[in-house]
Every structure is written in C-alpha cells, then in structure tokens.
Amino acid sequence: MNWIEIVSLMASFASLTAFFLFLWFSFALWRQKRELKRRFVSMDGNKVGLSKHPIAIVIGVGKDLNASASDYLKDHDWGDVPVISWKSSGGWLEPKDYPNAMININGLKDQAMKVGATEVLLFYAGPLDLAIYIGTRLQNWVPVRVFQHTGKAGQEIYLQNITLEKDAAGMETLTEQLVKKL
C-alpha cells in the first residue's frame, strides 16, 4: 500500500466520521428542540382545559380585581376555582412599600401550596417591577396562566396571552445545554 492509498483511506475515514458526527448532533439538536418546545411557553390561549387543582391568584395594586376576576372565571365555567387575593391598602405603591407587598405575595404562594395547586391562573394589575418579583416567586413551581387586564373602568376584560409552563423559567440556550451534555 503506497502513501496515496493511505491518505485516501484516512480521508474516507475522516469523511465518514464527520458524517456520523453530523447525524448525531442533528439528532441531539432535534431532540433538545422538542424538549425545549415542550417546556417553554405556550401561547394557546383558552383552548386547553384546567389542570386537576387550579387556583386563581388575584393581585391588585391600586385597584380591586376580585370582582372582575371572579366574573371572568364564571364566564369561562371556572367558577369553582378557588381564589386567593391581595390588594394594596392604599393607592399606587411606592418602592418603600414593596417589602410589605412581597411578604403578602409570598403568603399567597404559601396558601396555594397548602391547598395543593397544580396550576395558577394569575390576574395582576400593578407595577412592572413587582410583576417581576411575582414571576420569580412562581417560577418552576406549576404552570402559570397569565391574564392581562385590559379595558377601562367598568369595562373589565382579561386576555390570556401566555402560559408559563413548569421548568420554563431559568432555561438556558440550546447551545449551553448541548455543551453541558458533551
């Protein structure tokens, strides 16, 4: 066997190795994409029914959402869903009032955990920074359906824009997850 045949054989082996590595990584990417899609965020609106033990958490900062959230639940035949709520005592909250609000929000999650909630229907109206805190408290616990409050006073309307599936929070990029597996 001369050196040209040896180089040709090595090139063929390298090509086959590269091809099989390509197939393996493609399959791994496909599987990981499917898993991420399953765990990520669903935008299905109201098409899917409720889980076994849903609970509605109603948080109003500067406004009382209990009546409108209860009406929404009744309109969607979810009137038997337990509702736990908190409303700020005054008007709009100042940042100095956030620690007390956070304690109350923690209490809502504790109540929901005690009753064994399998899903949260979240009705919220308030400042964005407090909404971020709520998101961190509810992450990776149970699926959370987020209902956006729209409309003006006397015209209370909710839209379910997003469902945060369990394990969706804290997700890494696809590349980071694949590198960890290697």
Side-chain angles (χ1 to χ4, degrees):
M1 193 181 273
N2 63 21
W3 65 275
I4 293 177
E5 291 173 336
I6 293 172
V7 170
S8 175
L9 192 60
M10 288 174 52
S12 296
F13 179 72
S15 295
L16 285 174
T17 303
F19 177 72
F20 285 118
L21 281 174
F22 169 77
L23 287 178
W24 183 77
F25 276 110
S26 296
F27 179 71
L29 281 172
W30 173 78
R31 224 178 62 220
Q32 196 66 26
K33 181 181 174 188
R34 194 176 72 181
E35 175 67 16
L36 288 175
K37 187 176 181 181
R38 183 188 67 77
R39 290 181 1 186
F40 200 53
V41 176
S42 67
M43 307 289 260
D44 56 10
N46 297 323
K47 296 176 188 169
V48 179
L50 297 178
S51 65
K52 194 171 188 173
H53 296 289
I55 192 162
I57 295 180
V58 180
I59 301 172
V61 178
K63 67 182 347 181
D64 190 359
L65 303 178
N66 281 334
S68 61
S70 294
D71 289 344
Y72 179 87
L73 292 172
K74 288 175 188 168
D75 290 346
H76 288 80
D77 295 326
W78 299 340
D80 57 342
V81 173
V83 176
I84 56 175
S85 64
W86 175 75
K87 178 191 174 291
S88 62
S89 58
W92 201 252
L93 292 180
E94 296 294 324
K96 66 179 175 53
D97 301 323
Y98 285 2
N100 187 38
M102 292 174 180
I103 290 170
N104 289 311
I105 291 166
N106 289 343
L108 294 176
K109 182 179 178 185
D110 292 343
Q111 289 177 34
M113 290 176 71
K114 284 179 185 173
V115 298
T118 57
E119 178 178 23
V120 170
L121 309 176
L122 179 63
F123 297 87
Y124 175 75
L128 179 63
D129 41 2
L130 201 54
I132 292 170
Y133 176 76
I134 293 168
T136 60
R137 284 299 295 148
L138 299 179
Q139 76 174 355
N140 286 334
W141 171 45
V142 295
V144 178
R145 292 186 190 202
V146 180
F147 294 89
Q148 177 185 352
H149 181 264
T150 61
K152 300 172 185 168
Q155 185 185 30
E156 311 294 339
I157 300 170
Y158 289 97
L159 298 173
Q160 181 188 348
N161 288 335
I162 195 168
T163 299
L164 301 173
E165 300 294 343
K166 184 178 177 185
D167 296 333
M171 288 177 43
E172 302 160 334
T173 64
L174 182 60
T175 307
E176 289 171 341
Q177 290 188 22
L178 284 176
V179 168
K180 281 184 181 179
K181 288 186 178 184
L182 295 176

